[in-house]
Amino acid sequence: MTKRLLARIIHRLQLRESWIIFFILGIIMMTFPFMNIFNKPVMLFGFPLMFLYLTIGWAFSIFIIYIFMRSFSSLNQNGDENKD
Amino acid sequence: MNTGIVYAASISALYTALIFLIAWYAHYRKETGRSIVSNPVVYSLSIAVYCTSWTFYGSVGKASTTGIDFLMIYLGPSLAAFTWLFLLRRIIKISKDNNITSIADFISLRYGKSLWLGALVTIIAILGIMPYIALQIKAVSHSFYMVSGMRAENIQLTTLGSDVKLPAGLILAIILSIFSIIFGARRLQSSERHEGLIAAVAFESLIKLVSLIGVGIFVTYYLFDGFTDIFARFKAMDPAAFNRLFTFDASGSNPEYIPTFTMLFLSMGAIMLLPRQFHVMVIENSDERHVSTAMWLFPVYLFLINIFVMPIALGGILTTGSNNGADFFVLSLPLVTGHNEVALLAFLGGLSAAAGMVMVESVAISTMLLNHIFMPVIVRFTPRIWFPLLLINLKRFGIFLVVMLGFFYNQAVGDTYMLVNMGLISFSAAAQFLPAMLGGLYWRRGNKSGAIGGILSGFVIWFYTLLLPSFSKSGWLPTELLTEGPFGVELLKPTALFGLSGMDLWSQSLFWSMLFNISTYIICSIMLQQTDKEREQVAKFIAIFERTRSQRHTEEKRLSKPVTTSQFVALMTKFIGGAEAQNAFNQYAGNREINQEGTISEFDLPNLKRHVEKTLAGSVGAAAAGAIVDSFLSDMGSRMESVYDIYSTVRTSLDQSRESLFVRLKASEIINRTLDLQIIMDDLLVLLLTEFKLEIAIIQLKNEDGSYSVTSYQGANRKPINENHWYSECEPYFDMVYHDSEAHFTNDARLASSSLPLDLTLAEDIISFAHIPISREGEQAIGILSVYSKSIAGLFTKEFITLLTSLSGQLAQAITIVREMHEKDLERDQKEQALLQNARVLRDMEIAQQIQVSLLPDCAPDLFGIDLAGKCVSAAHVGGDYYDFFKRNENTVDVLIADVSGHSVGAALIMSEVRTLLRAQVNSAHSASAILNILNSQLHDDLTRAELFITMFYAKYNSASGRLSYSNAGHNHPIIHRTGSNTCIELDTEGLILGVKTSVVFEERSIELVSGDVLLFYTDGLTESFNASGEMFGNSRVCAQLGTVAHLSAEEIIDSIYDAVIDFTGSKKFQDDISLVLLKIL
């Protein structure tokens, strides 16, 4: 149910365009301004802030790829392929 | 604390045996067709060869010295995985299409199979990878010391009798080389996947993951109390270090610190461009679809393997008190806490990480070395039968060389750098391929000179700013180079090139090398032209997915001299062995038509050549394969040459179709403009001569007798057409064209002259010619279009022949139409003539009829006591019936009725002769029989000549006596109807028809007629009229009719008889002439 919902949301997002946007977003998150926000020696829930940011951000990006690949493959199965 | 050398060595050996077993099993499964390697999980694990001892040991070291920025090395590839969706899939598709064997092969293929580029990429890869392999050797030998407890650098071998000291690193290097050779260089074909190798690598990836997580859990949850416990204790112990490790240093105070962006960029490039990454991701990929899974599974792997790095690093500092020897915390932590099993697990993990990397890397590099360094030299020699053996051993040597280079670098530089920083030197080298690679895939203009220039300049900068300083730091080169610059020129100091100070080594090197690399690539690409070879590749690389959609492909090359298929097979045999060569050829021949002699059509030859190149490329790389085939062709006296562009404009397929449309349009204009065939043919030939590079064009058409003759002849220097004309030399071609209705051509007459005497033609400087049948689709040829070129060999391409054939088809259509129209005209003329003729005859006949009618008496003579009438209705225009009356005196009248056989004009003429003769007898007083006698004798000759005869009934009636005397010459018997009688009397006498015998006796009889008698003379047309059921009118009907109308006047009776006949037959048209004469006695 949730998977179908997610797949539908991503379908709405115009796969290819949002794919590129997520990629660029990932790079932006890894560069100076964003990094600077978390570049503080503080602890959050007993974890260093930067450690938490990078770990969660990383896990999230992997999750994004996973969701995208799932909906890509379901698209491919439906026949309207959208690959390069 | 240690485990002892024997224990460590035996565990290592056991582990090695396990790896072998797995590799062997994978290989066995592949041979039996049930691959365990071809699945996305194994693919993802094999990509994890990215995680080497650097990850296993170095990450912890980095984490405990500069902090969390070690993650950048893994975040980069994780981000780069986003691009795999289009980038990696594209690279894989291109590589599979072209049998790519390595990244050097890939780049050199894109830039026109450049040998130089391949060699350059290979050299960079070898030099660049040197520190990386050194890193592995350093890590493994160091970890071995730690686990085994050895303190010496060397292993003493006393068993050999004398004391030989061997560095442990060397032994390791040799073992790793042998490993790699067994897995990676069993066979020559490098584009083939090494399933055993990949299975081993994937298994090792699994081991190193389990191992590092195991150590992580051990440290985090056994030695300490979870993540937060470690973080809290560390912060309490050293807040300054905590701040340093968990923030990024923007101040630049730490010389070891490398900006996050540099690491992110280098790692993003490395994941695709390192030779071993390219090898496992592209060459060893078994299914494009595996990429989709690897895109998330590989980042998951990276995530998992790194999650415990920070705790281990902090735990190490907490346990040992400092970050000295942090590179080996993974191993030393279990050791110092006395957990040898965990340490052994960690050691196996590290060994796996190193071994996997070295195996794949050395196999990948040795392939490049063989294909791009050795091969270009080897192809200069004539191929020999032992070549395959030489090649495979060269490849094995390459593996050995690569590992040994790493070993020596380690010996030289090993201790001066941290593991990670050594690895980054390699990453920087791999990054030099990035511009040429991406540009090659997405930028059409990118060319060979740009790629060579860019890579070379980037490489030089890398060498100068990274590799040299590494030697220099370790004391191999004078340190003044680093502190004062070469020759004291400060501006050229490798660590602060062009005065760019304040940057770390890696960022500085990356900045300068990328700046020079990218700008050289772009500038050269824009300024210089691509060669034909490159352009051909550009289409393959950039339009790879488009190309599969539209299969349209135009051949732009031809072989100047045809080469047979067996020659190609022989060539392949020399490099890949007989069986594989035959296989490769069969694969090509599979669905093509190849005749018994093993020759294939000229248009198929370039395809075969490409196939041979592709096959060879699988073993020796594309660049070398191209060179091999080229040198083979030049030995054969043949070469690839550009197909002449028949339109003398741009040579691209799309434009060609437009140009060809124009010619076709012009041709139809010419054909539709006129119906004069001569003008059509002449104009068409002139069109061909002006539009194409042709000198002479001839049209021959087939004559009705099967011979052919020249009907149109255009071109310069025309010679009179006779049997001595040079074109008759091509007669065998003409026969072939007529025979199979297909175009026959010769792209180089000088070559064809060996099989056919073409001396006269060659004397005319004709180089190439084509003969195209003039025929409609599927029909026999009605002529031949011959075109000759004096300037261009290889003018006749498939497209051109198709175009010419199509034009000939148009011409054939026109000729057929014109000829048909011609025939129709002729037929119509004939019909008109016939009609005219007919009309004339008809008119003559009408005149004849009028004359004939006028010959018959207008009206019957008046004679007292009788009523006489006569009438003739002819069936044809002119007929042979005749009747007449002659009034002899006041009482006597002669009545005669005659029938000349036939209805011809001849009959009519005879009839008029009869009339003339009779008229001459009018005044003589001859009896009826006498008159018949006279007529017979006089007409006999004429009748015999005309093959006619006459029946005639002649009667004389004397009204005074009432007697009718009569004689008959074979005519129908007249009928007499008497009042009150139901029957009729027939007048019958003996007598032969006229014109049979010269002397005939005609009997004469007489009968007395009484008042009321109606005497009817008639011709056979009356009684022989028949109705629809074939019934004759007959005498009885005539008699009955006479009975009913006897009271009427003679004329009325005649008319009524005609009506009765019409009633009877049901037709207004009589079948035969009917003449009636009626004599009524009043």
Side-chain angles (χ1 to χ4, degrees):
Chain A
M1 183 62 204
T2 45
K3 273 180 195 163
R4 206 189 301 162
L5 190 70
L6 270 171
R8 202 181 293 168
I9 289 168
I10 286 164
H11 197 98
R12 274 282 194 78
L13 285 172
Q14 287 291 310
L15 288 171
R16 181 179 299 263
E17 284 78 355
S18 41
W19 184 248
I20 307 279
I21 287 167
F22 273 111
F23 176 55
I24 293 169
L25 196 67
I27 291 178
I28 290 174
M29 301 284 274
M30 294 307 301
T31 46
F32 167 69
F34 263 91
M35 292 292 239
N36 227 23
I37 296 174
F38 302 94
N39 202 7
K40 297 183 179 96
V42 288
M43 300 277 264
L44 196 66
F45 314 119
F47 289 91
L49 184 63
M50 181 59 91
F51 181 82
L52 216 54
Y53 168 64
L54 289 179
T55 311
I56 292 173
W58 194 0
F60 181 71
S61 83
I62 294 171
F63 182 66
I64 291 283
I65 299 181
Y66 174 71
I67 292 298
F68 264 91
M69 287 340 287
R70 278 197 70 93
S71 52
F72 269 131
S73 63
S74 71
L75 267 186
N76 288 358
Q77 275 159 20
N78 294 342
D80 52 339
E81 202 165 344
N82 192 24
K83 69 174 176 184
D84 194 327
Chain B
M1 188 94 198
N2 58 68
T3 58
I5 183 166
V6 177
Y7 185 57
S10 51
I11 288 290
S12 308
L14 270 178
Y15 177 68
T16 309
L18 180 66
I19 298 284
F20 265 113
L21 205 64
I22 286 168
W24 174 84
Y25 180 64
H27 187 75
Y28 164 77
R29 284 287 293 259
K30 187 204 174 190
E31 296 289 299
T32 52
R34 295 169 300 141
S35 173
I36 51 164
V37 168
S38 178
N39 75 65
V41 177
V42 172
Y43 180 64
S44 307
L45 283 175
S46 72
I47 297 177
V49 74
Y50 179 76
C51 300
T52 63
S53 353
W54 164 346
T55 310
F56 202 83
Y57 298 120
S59 283
V60 175
K62 179 103 180 143
S64 41
T65 47
T66 62
I68 197 157
D69 61 346
F70 81 92
L71 267 187
M72 291 303 142
I73 298 297
Y74 308 95
L75 282 169
S78 202
L79 268 179
F82 272 88
T83 65
W84 291 358
L85 182 65
F86 34 94
L87 196 62
L88 182 57
R89 282 162 84 146
R90 178 181 279 239
I91 294 173
I92 289 175
K93 188 159 174 49
I94 294 167
S95 300
K96 287 198 190 307
D97 283 356
N98 296 287
N99 267 3
I100 296 281
T101 58
S102 64
I103 186 167
D105 204 11
F106 188 86
I107 292 177
S108 95
L109 181 71
R110 161 59 177 84
Y111 297 102
K113 302 184 183 174
S114 160
L115 289 171
W116 287 111
L117 195 52
L120 181 63
V121 172
T122 305
I123 289 169
I124 294 175
I126 293 172
L127 289 180
I129 228 64
M130 218 160 59
Y132 211 162
I133 292 190
L135 184 163
Q136 312 304 323
I137 292 172
K138 176 185 172 184
V140 174
S141 48
H142 202 90
S143 65
F144 188 77
Y145 299 147
M146 290 176 73
V147 171
S148 64
M150 273 176 61
R151 286 294 166 259
E153 287 280 302
N154 301 319
I155 297 170
Q156 292 210 349
L157 293 177
T158 46
T159 47
L160 292 174
S162 61
D163 282 4
V164 181
K165 291 187 175 185
L166 286 175
L170 180 63
I171 295 176
L172 181 71
I174 291 171
I175 292 174
L176 283 176
S177 318
I178 294 172
F179 233 69
S180 311
I181 288 168
I182 293 171
F183 286 125
R186 291 182 50 217
R187 298 177 69 183
L188 186 59
Q189 187 128 13
S190 328
S191 62
E192 193 187 21
R193 300 185 309 109
H194 309 88
E195 297 229 328
L197 178 70
I198 291 305
V201 165
F203 179 72
E204 286 175 332
S205 290
L206 212 56
I207 292 294
K208 67 195 178 202
L209 180 65
V210 169
S211 168
L212 197 58
I213 288 181
V215 174
I217 290 172
F218 164 76
V219 171
T220 316
Y221 294 102
Y222 185 79
L223 296 184
F224 295 91
D225 221 1
F227 280 89
T228 46
D229 179 43
I230 294 180
F231 290 138
R233 284 209 219 174
F234 185 69
K235 194 173 183 186
M237 186 187 104
D238 191 349
F242 181 86
N243 287 359
R244 187 162 48 81
L245 296 188
F246 286 103
T247 54
F248 294 131
D249 187 357
S251 63
S253 55
N254 184 355
E256 290 286 320
Y257 177 75
I258 303 164
T260 54
F261 177 78
T262 306
M263 287 203 282
L264 201 63
F265 183 87
L266 286 177
S267 62
M268 282 174 78
I271 189 64
M272 304 284 286
L273 300 172
L274 281 174
R276 71 164 189 285
Q277 291 306 130
F278 192 88
H279 188 82
V280 292
M281 287 162 74
V282 179
I283 314 296
E284 301 286 350
N285 174 280
S286 59
D287 190 335
E288 254 182 79
R289 283 170 300 183
H290 294 169
V291 173
S292 315
T293 309
M295 277 172 66
W296 60 267
L297 198 54
F298 173 60
V300 165
Y301 184 96
L302 291 180
F303 183 82
L304 290 178
I305 206 168
N306 279 298
I307 198 80
F308 286 108
V309 166
M310 212 64 214
I312 296 173
L314 298 186
I317 297 175
L318 282 171
T319 311
T320 62
S322 76
N323 60 10
N324 289 338
D327 267 348
F328 295 96
F329 272 168
V330 176
L331 207 54
S332 56
L333 262 181
L335 281 176
V336 294
T337 54
H339 294 87
N340 285 358
E341 306 75 31
V342 181
L344 208 59
L345 180 70
F347 170 69
L348 287 184
L351 183 65
S352 300
M357 181 274 178
V358 173
M359 285 194 304
V360 182
E361 194 81 70
S362 62
V363 168
I365 301 261
S366 72
T367 303
M368 288 160 71
L369 196 63
L370 174 68
N371 293 351
H372 299 284
I373 305 284
F374 296 146
M375 221 47 205
V377 181
I378 291 170
V379 295
R380 294 183 192 279
F381 301 105
T382 322
R384 294 285 156 75
I385 195 73
W386 41 264
F387 258 37
L389 206 62
L390 171 73
L391 295 182
I392 185 75
N393 282 318
L394 273 176
K395 191 169 175 180
R396 289 167 184 163
F397 167 72
I399 291 178
F400 197 70
L401 181 74
V402 170
V403 180
M404 282 303 143
L405 273 176
F407 169 73
F408 289 121
Y409 185 84
N410 182 37
Q411 291 295 98
V413 182
D415 294 332
T416 33
Y417 277 93
M418 284 189 69
L419 290 178
V420 169
N421 295 351
M422 273 167 89
L424 279 178
I425 299 178
S426 295
F427 277 22
S428 298
Q432 304 311 321
F433 304 145
L434 189 68
M437 185 90 171
L438 283 184
L441 283 171
Y442 292 101
W443 190 37
R444 270 177 193 283
R445 289 286 301 269
N447 67 12
K448 183 169 80 183
S449 18
I452 292 181
I455 291 179
L456 191 63
S457 56
F459 167 65
V460 168
I461 302 238
W462 167 83
F463 187 85
Y464 188 68
T465 56
L466 273 184
L467 201 65
L468 271 191
S470 78
F471 284 122
S472 179
K473 272 188 177 178
S474 63
W476 274 48
L477 288 171
T479 42
E480 292 85 62
L481 184 72
L482 293 190
T483 49
E484 289 163 26
F487 318 111
V489 182
E490 198 141 315
L491 214 57
L492 294 178
K493 245 171 47 181
T495 48
L497 195 63
F498 308 125
L500 181 69
S501 57
M503 257 174 124
D504 64 293
L505 270 183
W506 290 269
S507 303
Q508 193 228 193
S509 171
L510 180 69
F511 172 73
W512 284 122
S513 62
M514 279 294 125
L515 181 72
F516 279 94
N517 190 334
I518 295 174
S519 50
T520 311
Y521 177 62
I522 290 177
I523 289 168
C524 287
S525 294
I526 290 174
M527 306 267 285
L528 300 168
Q529 287 289 313
Q530 284 174 328
T531 62
D532 278 358
K533 265 188 174 176
E534 284 182 73
R535 245 172 254 135
E536 195 183 319
Q537 300 301 333
V538 169
K540 278 192 200 162
F541 275 64
I542 295 188
I544 176 104
F545 285 107
E546 285 78 5
R547 205 156 57 90
T548 50
R549 277 169 213 149
S550 67
Q551 282 295 333
R552 193 170 192 286
H553 173 72
T554 320
E555 200 56 65
E556 288 174 10
K557 297 276 177 190
R558 63 179 286 272
L559 285 168
S560 61
K561 186 179 173 188
V563 178
T564 64
T565 52
S566 53
Q567 284 167 321
F568 270 127
V569 173
L571 172 71
M572 287 195 285
T573 306
K574 283 172 186 156
F575 285 92
I576 59 176
E580 299 218 8
Q582 197 55 47
N583 263 346
F585 177 71
N586 291 345
Q587 196 188 331
Y588 172 82
N591 43 6
R592 287 181 173 79
E593 266 181 47
I594 292 170
N595 64 17
Q596 296 97 337
E597 296 101 64
T599 56
I600 55 174
S601 109
E602 188 178 327
F603 301 132
D604 261 346
L605 269 180
N607 277 331
L608 178 60
K609 178 193 170 259
R610 260 194 294 275
H611 184 78
V612 169
E613 278 183 353
K614 194 177 150 185
T615 309
L616 288 178
S619 294
V620 303
I628 289 170
V629 174
D630 284 350
S631 80
F632 161 71
L633 287 180
S634 75
D635 285 351
M636 303 287 305
S638 183
R639 68 196 154 85
M640 287 302 268
E641 50 187 29
S642 285
V643 159
Y644 182 77
D645 169 27
I646 49 175
Y647 304 105
S648 1
T649 54
V650 272
R651 187 193 303 136
T652 62
S653 51
L654 285 176
D655 283 335
Q656 270 197 7
S657 67
R658 198 184 65 213
E659 298 281 343
S660 112
L661 201 63
F662 168 77
V663 174
R664 282 165 202 243
L665 201 70
K666 290 285 265 187
S668 352
E669 265 175 31
I670 289 171
I671 286 169
N672 293 327
R673 199 157 48 207
T674 171
L675 280 176
D676 188 326
L677 268 183
Q678 196 58 45
I679 294 175
I680 290 177
M681 290 189 289
D682 291 350
D683 286 359
L684 202 62
L685 293 189
V686 170
L687 173 76
L688 287 179
L689 293 183
T690 49
E691 287 298 324
F692 306 114
K693 199 84 180 116
L694 299 167
E695 270 72 31
I696 296 154
I698 296 176
I699 288 179
Q700 305 175 56
L701 290 184
K702 207 171 194 170
N703 300 325
E704 276 168 16
D705 59 2
S707 65
Y708 29 92
S709 51
V710 172
T711 44
S712 182
Y713 181 15
Q714 300 292 325
N717 297 332
R718 275 174 284 179
K719 293 188 174 170
I721 295 281
N722 53 42
E723 60 266 34
N724 297 326
H725 191 273
W726 52 265
Y727 92 94
S728 52
E729 282 185 335
C730 285
E731 231 157 283
Y733 280 98
F734 303 153
D735 294 338
M736 283 198 286
V737 172
Y738 275 123
H739 179 254
D740 50 20
S741 281
E742 262 175 32
H744 287 268
F745 59 93
T746 294
N747 261 329
D748 199 332
R750 292 161 297 197
L751 296 173
S753 63
S754 57
S755 53
L756 190 74
L758 290 169
D759 302 337
L760 292 174
T761 312
L762 288 174
E764 288 290 316
D765 294 332
I766 284 163
I767 293 179
S768 55
F769 54 81
H771 305 287
I772 296 102
I774 299 175
S775 70
R776 296 198 294 180
E777 194 72 34
E779 287 181 10
Q780 196 64 35
I782 54 172
I784 295 176
L785 166 69
S786 306
V787 287
Y788 301 84
S789 170
K790 289 185 179 180
S791 46
I792 295 146
L795 178 63
F796 299 104
T797 62
K798 204 170 199 170
E799 286 72 38
F800 193 23
I801 292 291
T802 310
L803 177 66
L804 287 174
T805 310
S806 140
L807 291 183
S808 302
Q810 276 185 310
L811 180 61
Q813 183 75 14
I815 291 174
T816 315
I817 287 173
V818 169
R819 281 185 174 170
E820 272 172 8
M821 282 176 66
H822 217 75
E823 272 167 22
K824 269 189 192 148
D825 279 355
L826 214 64
E827 201 179 329
R828 201 179 52 228
D829 275 1
Q830 278 172 350
K831 263 190 193 155
E832 265 172 19
Q833 281 297 321
L835 273 177
L836 211 63
Q837 188 67 25
N838 209 10
R840 202 175 296 135
V841 170
L842 212 65
R843 175 86 191 117
D844 285 351
M845 296 293 271
E846 274 168 8
I847 292 168
Q849 193 196 17
Q850 281 174 12
I851 292 171
Q852 196 184 15
V853 168
S854 72
L855 293 181
L856 296 172
D858 297 340
C859 55
D862 271 342
L863 205 68
F864 181 75
I866 59 166
D867 186 2
L868 192 61
K871 189 168 183 178
C872 172
V873 176
S874 336
H877 287 289
V878 284
D881 283 11
Y882 172 58
Y883 68 90
D884 216 341
F885 319 107
F886 302 115
K887 192 175 173 184
R888 300 280 181 179
N889 50 46
E890 287 305 309
N891 298 323
T892 313
V893 66
D894 287 6
V895 178
L896 77 105
I897 187 158
D899 188 357
V900 184
S901 61
H903 305 285
S904 58
V905 179
L909 285 173
I910 293 291
M911 190 205 105
S912 68
E913 192 183 355
V914 170
R915 182 174 179 269
T916 313
L917 288 174
L918 283 174
R919 293 270 161 155
Q921 304 295 327
V922 168
N923 296 322
S924 66
H926 295 301
S927 66
S929 59
I931 288 173
L932 284 181
N933 244 327
I934 293 165
L935 275 179
N936 186 41
S937 59
Q938 288 186 349
L939 283 172
H940 178 264
D941 290 347
D942 288 347
L943 286 171
T944 310
R945 245 194 318 273
E947 294 182 340
L948 291 170
F949 52 85
I950 303 172
T951 62
M952 185 183 282
F953 192 92
Y954 201 98
K956 272 180 187 292
Y957 178 69
N958 191 310
S959 60
S961 64
R963 272 208 99 75
L964 180 80
S965 56
Y966 57 91
S967 237
N968 191 0
H971 199 78
N972 299 60
H973 304 158
I975 294 168
I976 297 172
H977 179 267
R978 287 230 154 112
T979 318
S981 164
N982 282 335
T983 56
C984 297
I985 305 160
E986 287 192 16
L987 300 181
D988 184 22
T989 62
E990 290 295 319
L992 202 61
I993 48 178
L994 304 181
V996 178
K997 276 169 75 177
T998 33
S999 61
V1000 182
V1001 178
F1002 295 96
E1003 187 192 0
E1004 183 157 343
R1005 289 190 184 176
S1006 67
I1007 185 171
E1008 191 164 339
L1009 299 175
V1010 295
S1011 171
D1013 281 358
V1014 179
L1015 171 56
L1016 179 69
F1017 302 84
Y1018 63 91
T1019 52
D1020 53 4
L1022 174 66
T1023 49
E1024 287 168 13
S1025 292
F1026 51 87
N1027 63 11
S1029 56
E1031 214 179 334
M1032 297 271 217
F1033 194 67
N1035 287 1
S1036 51
R1037 283 200 181 78
V1038 178
C1039 181
Q1041 180 66 16
L1042 283 179
T1044 52
V1045 294
H1047 58 280
L1048 299 175
S1049 74
E1051 272 184 39
E1052 284 166 340
I1053 292 170
I1054 286 175
D1055 288 342
S1056 81
I1057 290 172
Y1058 278 121
D1059 289 344
V1061 173
I1062 287 169
D1063 277 352
F1064 177 73
T1065 60
S1067 157
K1068 289 213 167 181
K1069 213 163 165 7
F1070 299 125
Q1071 289 124 357
D1072 197 358
D1073 301 349
I1074 298 176
S1075 298
L1076 300 175
V1077 175
L1078 196 107
L1079 174 66
K1080 185 175 177 183
I1081 311 299
L1082 298 171

